[in-house]
PDB file of all heavy atoms in Angstrom:
ATOM      1  N   ALA A 106     -51.267 -16.392  -3.869  1.00 54.00           N
ATOM      2  CA  ALA A 106     -52.002 -17.671  -4.005  1.00 54.00           C
ATOM      3  C   ALA A 106     -53.371 -17.475  -4.568  1.00 54.00           C
ATOM      4  O   ALA A 106     -54.012 -18.377  -5.045  1.00 54.00           O
ATOM      5  CB  ALA A 106     -52.062 -18.402  -2.690  1.00 54.00           C
ATOM      6  N   HIS A 107     -53.914 -16.232  -4.466  1.00 57.00           N
ATOM      7  CA  HIS A 107     -55.286 -16.087  -4.821  1.00 57.00           C
ATOM      8  C   HIS A 107     -55.492 -16.001  -6.320  1.00 57.00           C
ATOM      9  O   HIS A 107     -54.873 -15.162  -6.965  1.00 57.00           O
ATOM     10  CB  HIS A 107     -55.905 -14.815  -4.146  1.00 57.00           C
ATOM     11  CG  HIS A 107     -57.410 -14.905  -4.023  1.00 57.00           C
ATOM     12  ND1 HIS A 107     -58.208 -14.657  -5.099  1.00 57.00           N
ATOM     13  CD2 HIS A 107     -58.173 -15.235  -2.995  1.00 57.00           C
ATOM     14  CE1 HIS A 107     -59.480 -14.818  -4.742  1.00 57.00           C
ATOM     15  NE2 HIS A 107     -59.443 -15.154  -3.464  1.00 57.00           N
ATOM     16  N   PRO A 108     -56.361 -16.800  -6.908  1.00 59.00           N
ATOM     17  CA  PRO A 108     -56.539 -16.848  -8.372  1.00 59.00           C
ATOM     18  C   PRO A 108     -56.990 -15.526  -8.942  1.00 59.00           C
ATOM     19  O   PRO A 108     -56.731 -15.270 -10.116  1.00 59.00           O
ATOM     20  CB  PRO A 108     -57.625 -17.944  -8.544  1.00 59.00           C
ATOM     21  CG  PRO A 108     -57.560 -18.790  -7.298  1.00 59.00           C
ATOM     22  CD  PRO A 108     -57.152 -17.880  -6.211  1.00 59.00           C
ATOM     23  N   ALA A 109     -57.690 -14.749  -8.163  1.00 59.00           N
ATOM     24  CA  ALA A 109     -58.220 -13.459  -8.684  1.00 59.00           C
ATOM     25  C   ALA A 109     -57.146 -12.497  -9.172  1.00 59.00           C
ATOM     26  O   ALA A 109     -57.375 -11.686  -9.986  1.00 59.00           O
ATOM     27  CB  ALA A 109     -59.132 -12.782  -7.622  1.00 59.00           C
ATOM     28  N   ILE A 110     -56.003 -12.610  -8.530  1.00 66.00           N
ATOM     29  CA  ILE A 110     -54.926 -11.609  -8.853  1.00 66.00           C
ATOM     30  C   ILE A 110     -53.639 -12.331  -9.260  1.00 66.00           C
ATOM     31  O   ILE A 110     -52.619 -11.629  -9.458  1.00 66.00           O
ATOM     32  CB  ILE A 110     -54.640 -10.613  -7.657  1.00 66.00           C
ATOM     33  CG1 ILE A 110     -54.268 -11.425  -6.401  1.00 66.00           C
ATOM     34  CG2 ILE A 110     -55.868  -9.735  -7.436  1.00 66.00           C
ATOM     35  CD1 ILE A 110     -53.811 -10.527  -5.298  1.00 66.00           C
ATOM     36  N   ALA A 111     -53.654 -13.655  -9.382  1.00 68.00           N
ATOM     37  CA  ALA A 111     -52.394 -14.375  -9.682  1.00 68.00           C
ATOM     38  C   ALA A 111     -51.894 -13.952 -11.030  1.00 68.00           C
ATOM     39  O   ALA A 111     -50.631 -13.723 -11.211  1.00 68.00           O
ATOM     40  CB  ALA A 111     -52.712 -15.893  -9.676  1.00 68.00           C
ATOM     41  N   GLU A 112     -52.738 -13.785 -12.026  1.00 70.00           N
ATOM     42  CA  GLU A 112     -52.222 -13.402 -13.376  1.00 70.00           C
ATOM     43  C   GLU A 112     -51.635 -12.036 -13.347  1.00 70.00           C
ATOM     44  O   GLU A 112     -50.614 -11.744 -13.938  1.00 70.00           O
ATOM     45  CB  GLU A 112     -53.357 -13.489 -14.373  1.00 70.00           C
ATOM     46  CG  GLU A 112     -52.910 -13.133 -15.786  1.00 70.00           C
ATOM     47  CD  GLU A 112     -54.087 -13.270 -16.785  1.00 70.00           C
ATOM     48  OE1 GLU A 112     -55.120 -13.823 -16.441  1.00 70.00           O
ATOM     49  OE2 GLU A 112     -53.895 -12.822 -17.917  1.00 70.00           O
ATOM     50  N   ASP A 113     -52.319 -11.056 -12.645  1.00 73.00           N
ATOM     51  CA  ASP A 113     -51.777  -9.701 -12.545  1.00 73.00           C
ATOM     52  C   ASP A 113     -50.474  -9.690 -11.797  1.00 73.00           C
ATOM     53  O   ASP A 113     -49.547  -8.906 -12.123  1.00 73.00           O
ATOM     54  CB  ASP A 113     -52.775  -8.805 -11.832  1.00 73.00           C
ATOM     55  CG  ASP A 113     -54.076  -8.599 -12.665  1.00 73.00           C
ATOM     56  OD1 ASP A 113     -53.976  -8.605 -13.892  1.00 73.00           O
ATOM     57  OD2 ASP A 113     -55.108  -8.487 -12.074  1.00 73.00           O
ATOM     58  N   ALA A 114     -50.327 -10.516 -10.772  1.00 76.00           N
ATOM     59  CA  ALA A 114     -49.091 -10.609  -9.984  1.00 76.00           C
ATOM     60  C   ALA A 114     -47.935 -11.099 -10.909  1.00 76.00           C
ATOM     61  O   ALA A 114     -46.815 -10.608 -10.845  1.00 76.00           O
ATOM     62  CB  ALA A 114     -49.231 -11.481  -8.832  1.00 76.00           C
ATOM     63  N   ASP A 115     -48.240 -12.139 -11.770  1.00 76.00           N
ATOM     64  CA  ASP A 115     -47.193 -12.614 -12.657  1.00 76.00           C
ATOM     65  C   ASP A 115     -46.717 -11.509 -13.590  1.00 76.00           C
ATOM     66  O   ASP A 115     -45.554 -11.423 -13.985  1.00 76.00           O
ATOM     67  CB  ASP A 115     -47.766 -13.834 -13.479  1.00 76.00           C
ATOM     68  CG  ASP A 115     -47.968 -15.042 -12.582  1.00 76.00           C
ATOM     69  OD1 ASP A 115     -47.323 -15.089 -11.512  1.00 76.00           O
ATOM     70  OD2 ASP A 115     -48.708 -15.957 -12.988  1.00 76.00           O
ATOM     71  N   ARG A 116     -47.696 -10.748 -14.171  1.00 76.00           N
ATOM     72  CA  ARG A 116     -47.330  -9.687 -15.055  1.00 76.00           C
ATOM     73  C   ARG A 116     -46.496  -8.565 -14.399  1.00 76.00           C
ATOM     74  O   ARG A 116     -45.582  -8.067 -14.955  1.00 76.00           O
ATOM     75  CB  ARG A 116     -48.560  -9.050 -15.719  1.00 76.00           C
ATOM     76  CG  ARG A 116     -49.297 -10.049 -16.653  1.00 76.00           C
ATOM     77  CD  ARG A 116     -50.354  -9.302 -17.485  1.00 76.00           C
ATOM     78  NE  ARG A 116     -51.393  -8.716 -16.704  1.00 76.00           N
ATOM     79  CZ  ARG A 116     -51.614  -7.446 -16.541  1.00 76.00           C
ATOM     80  NH1 ARG A 116     -50.757  -6.576 -17.072  1.00 76.00           N
ATOM     81  NH2 ARG A 116     -52.572  -7.057 -15.766  1.00 76.00           N
ATOM     82  N   ALA A 117     -46.895  -8.293 -13.153  1.00 77.00           N
ATOM     83  CA  ALA A 117     -46.135  -7.257 -12.418  1.00 77.00           C
ATOM     84  C   ALA A 117     -44.676  -7.768 -12.149  1.00 77.00           C
ATOM     85  O   ALA A 117     -43.726  -6.966 -12.275  1.00 77.00           O
ATOM     86  CB  ALA A 117     -46.801  -6.978 -11.050  1.00 77.00           C
ATOM     87  N   LEU A 118     -44.550  -9.039 -11.825  1.00 77.00           N
ATOM     88  CA  LEU A 118     -43.234  -9.594 -11.570  1.00 77.00           C
ATOM     89  C   LEU A 118     -42.375  -9.533 -12.849  1.00 77.00           C
ATOM     90  O   LEU A 118     -41.219  -9.204 -12.815  1.00 77.00           O
ATOM     91  CB  LEU A 118     -43.296 -11.037 -11.056  1.00 77.00           C
ATOM     92  CG  LEU A 118     -41.990 -11.775 -10.830  1.00 77.00           C
ATOM     93  CD1 LEU A 118     -41.145 -11.040  -9.759  1.00 77.00           C
ATOM     94  CD2 LEU A 118     -42.163 -13.179 -10.343  1.00 77.00           C
ATOM     95  N   ALA A 119     -42.980  -9.878 -13.971  1.00 77.00           N
ATOM     96  CA  ALA A 119     -42.261  -9.836 -15.225  1.00 77.00           C
ATOM     97  C   ALA A 119     -41.828  -8.396 -15.551  1.00 77.00           C
ATOM     98  O   ALA A 119     -40.692  -8.163 -16.031  1.00 77.00           O
ATOM     99  CB  ALA A 119     -43.114 -10.366 -16.340  1.00 77.00           C
ATOM    100  N   THR A 120     -42.659  -7.424 -15.248  1.00 74.00           N
ATOM    101  CA  THR A 120     -42.328  -6.005 -15.476  1.00 74.00           C
ATOM    102  C   THR A 120     -41.122  -5.615 -14.629  1.00 74.00           C
ATOM    103  O   THR A 120     -40.234  -4.907 -15.108  1.00 74.00           O
ATOM    104  CB  THR A 120     -43.529  -5.141 -15.216  1.00 74.00           C
ATOM    105  OG1 THR A 120     -44.662  -5.516 -16.053  1.00 74.00           O
ATOM    106  CG2 THR A 120     -43.205  -3.635 -15.433  1.00 74.00           C
ATOM    107  N   ILE A 121     -41.186  -5.962 -13.376  1.00 75.00           N
ATOM    108  CA  ILE A 121     -40.102  -5.602 -12.492  1.00 75.00           C
ATOM    109  C   ILE A 121     -38.787  -6.248 -12.922  1.00 75.00           C
ATOM    110  O   ILE A 121     -37.709  -5.632 -12.995  1.00 75.00           O
ATOM    111  CB  ILE A 121     -40.458  -6.014 -11.079  1.00 75.00           C
ATOM    112  CG1 ILE A 121     -41.585  -5.113 -10.524  1.00 75.00           C
ATOM    113  CG2 ILE A 121     -39.222  -5.860 -10.138  1.00 75.00           C
ATOM    114  CD1 ILE A 121     -42.136  -5.539  -9.166  1.00 75.00           C
ATOM    115  N   ARG A 122     -38.892  -7.586 -13.287  1.00 75.00           N
ATOM    116  CA  ARG A 122     -37.717  -8.285 -13.648  1.00 75.00           C
ATOM    117  C   ARG A 122     -37.048  -7.711 -14.896  1.00 75.00           C
ATOM    118  O   ARG A 122     -35.769  -7.692 -14.966  1.00 75.00           O
ATOM    119  CB  ARG A 122     -38.084  -9.804 -13.913  1.00 75.00           C
ATOM    120  CG  ARG A 122     -36.883 -10.703 -14.147  1.00 75.00           C
ATOM    121  CD  ARG A 122     -37.324 -12.128 -14.556  1.00 75.00           C
ATOM    122  NE  ARG A 122     -36.184 -12.986 -14.808  1.00 75.00           N
ATOM    123  CZ  ARG A 122     -35.475 -12.964 -15.931  1.00 75.00           C
ATOM    124  NH1 ARG A 122     -35.836 -12.175 -16.891  1.00 75.00           N
ATOM    125  NH2 ARG A 122     -34.512 -13.783 -16.094  1.00 75.00           N
ATOM    126  N   ASN A 123     -37.774  -7.207 -15.835  1.00 72.00           N
ATOM    127  CA  ASN A 123     -37.213  -6.724 -17.044  1.00 72.00           C
ATOM    128  C   ASN A 123     -36.389  -5.443 -16.919  1.00 72.00           C
ATOM    129  O   ASN A 123     -35.579  -5.139 -17.723  1.00 72.00           O
ATOM    130  CB  ASN A 123     -38.331  -6.455 -18.091  1.00 72.00           C
ATOM    131  CG  ASN A 123     -38.947  -7.696 -18.618  1.00 72.00           C
ATOM    132  OD1 ASN A 123     -38.293  -8.814 -18.566  1.00 72.00           O
ATOM    133  ND2 ASN A 123     -40.192  -7.612 -19.082  1.00 72.00           N
ATOM    134  N   VAL A 124     -36.586  -4.735 -15.764  1.00 68.00           N
ATOM    135  CA  VAL A 124     -35.890  -3.424 -15.596  1.00 68.00           C
ATOM    136  C   VAL A 124     -34.794  -3.580 -14.527  1.00 68.00           C
ATOM    137  O   VAL A 124     -34.139  -2.618 -14.209  1.00 68.00           O
ATOM    138  CB  VAL A 124     -36.826  -2.329 -15.197  1.00 68.00           C
ATOM    139  CG1 VAL A 124     -37.814  -2.073 -16.322  1.00 68.00           C
ATOM    140  CG2 VAL A 124     -37.544  -2.620 -13.929  1.00 68.00           C
ATOM    141  N   LEU A 125     -34.575  -4.798 -14.072  1.00 74.00           N
ATOM    142  CA  LEU A 125     -33.535  -4.981 -12.992  1.00 74.00           C
ATOM    143  C   LEU A 125     -32.171  -5.150 -13.596  1.00 74.00           C
ATOM    144  O   LEU A 125     -32.024  -5.692 -14.698  1.00 74.00           O
ATOM    145  CB  LEU A 125     -33.915  -6.215 -12.162  1.00 74.00           C
ATOM    146  CG  LEU A 125     -35.100  -6.160 -11.231  1.00 74.00           C
ATOM    147  CD1 LEU A 125     -35.335  -7.451 -10.551  1.00 74.00           C
ATOM    148  CD2 LEU A 125     -34.954  -5.043 -10.234  1.00 74.00           C
ATOM    149  N   PRO A 126     -31.161  -4.745 -12.817  1.00 77.00           N
ATOM    150  CA  PRO A 126     -29.725  -5.040 -13.257  1.00 77.00           C
ATOM    151  C   PRO A 126     -29.551  -6.524 -13.184  1.00 77.00           C
ATOM    152  O   PRO A 126     -30.205  -7.226 -12.461  1.00 77.00           O
ATOM    153  CB  PRO A 126     -28.942  -4.239 -12.313  1.00 77.00           C
ATOM    154  CG  PRO A 126     -29.781  -4.009 -11.121  1.00 77.00           C
ATOM    155  CD  PRO A 126     -31.187  -3.945 -11.633  1.00 77.00           C
ATOM    156  N   PRO A 127     -28.544  -7.024 -13.936  1.00 81.00           N
ATOM    157  CA  PRO A 127     -28.317  -8.492 -13.976  1.00 81.00           C
ATOM    158  C   PRO A 127     -28.075  -9.102 -12.640  1.00 81.00           C
ATOM    159  O   PRO A 127     -28.560 -10.231 -12.412  1.00 81.00           O
ATOM    160  CB  PRO A 127     -27.061  -8.619 -14.863  1.00 81.00           C
ATOM    161  CG  PRO A 127     -27.116  -7.356 -15.781  1.00 81.00           C
ATOM    162  CD  PRO A 127     -27.695  -6.274 -14.919  1.00 81.00           C
ATOM    163  N   ARG A 128     -27.374  -8.438 -11.717  1.00 78.00           N
ATOM    164  CA  ARG A 128     -27.123  -9.027 -10.379  1.00 78.00           C
ATOM    165  C   ARG A 128     -28.370  -9.326  -9.612  1.00 78.00           C
ATOM    166  O   ARG A 128     -28.526 -10.340  -8.975  1.00 78.00           O
ATOM    167  CB  ARG A 128     -26.160  -8.151  -9.624  1.00 78.00           C
ATOM    168  CG  ARG A 128     -26.705  -6.718  -9.350  1.00 78.00           C
ATOM    169  CD  ARG A 128     -25.745  -5.869  -8.585  1.00 78.00           C
ATOM    170  NE  ARG A 128     -26.281  -4.554  -8.375  1.00 78.00           N
ATOM    171  CZ  ARG A 128     -27.095  -4.209  -7.420  1.00 78.00           C
ATOM    172  NH1 ARG A 128     -27.474  -5.145  -6.547  1.00 78.00           N
ATOM    173  NH2 ARG A 128     -27.534  -2.978  -7.291  1.00 78.00           N
ATOM    174  N   LEU A 129     -29.360  -8.405  -9.715  1.00 77.00           N
ATOM    175  CA  LEU A 129     -30.651  -8.593  -9.009  1.00 77.00           C
ATOM    176  C   LEU A 129     -31.482  -9.600  -9.714  1.00 77.00           C
ATOM    177  O   LEU A 129     -32.227 -10.361  -9.074  1.00 77.00           O
ATOM    178  CB  LEU A 129     -31.386  -7.271  -8.830  1.00 77.00           C
ATOM    179  CG  LEU A 129     -30.881  -6.378  -7.652  1.00 77.00           C
ATOM    180  CD1 LEU A 129     -31.729  -5.103  -7.602  1.00 77.00           C
ATOM    181  CD2 LEU A 129     -30.960  -7.121  -6.379  1.00 77.00           C
TER     182      LEU A 129
END
Side-chain angles (χ1 to χ4, degrees):
H107 202 283
I110 59 174
E112 182 178 349
D113 294 327
D115 290 340
R116 292 192 297 110
L118 178 60
T120 301
I121 292 173
R122 186 185 180 281
N123 288 338
V124 299
L125 290 178
R128 59 182 178 82
L129 281 180

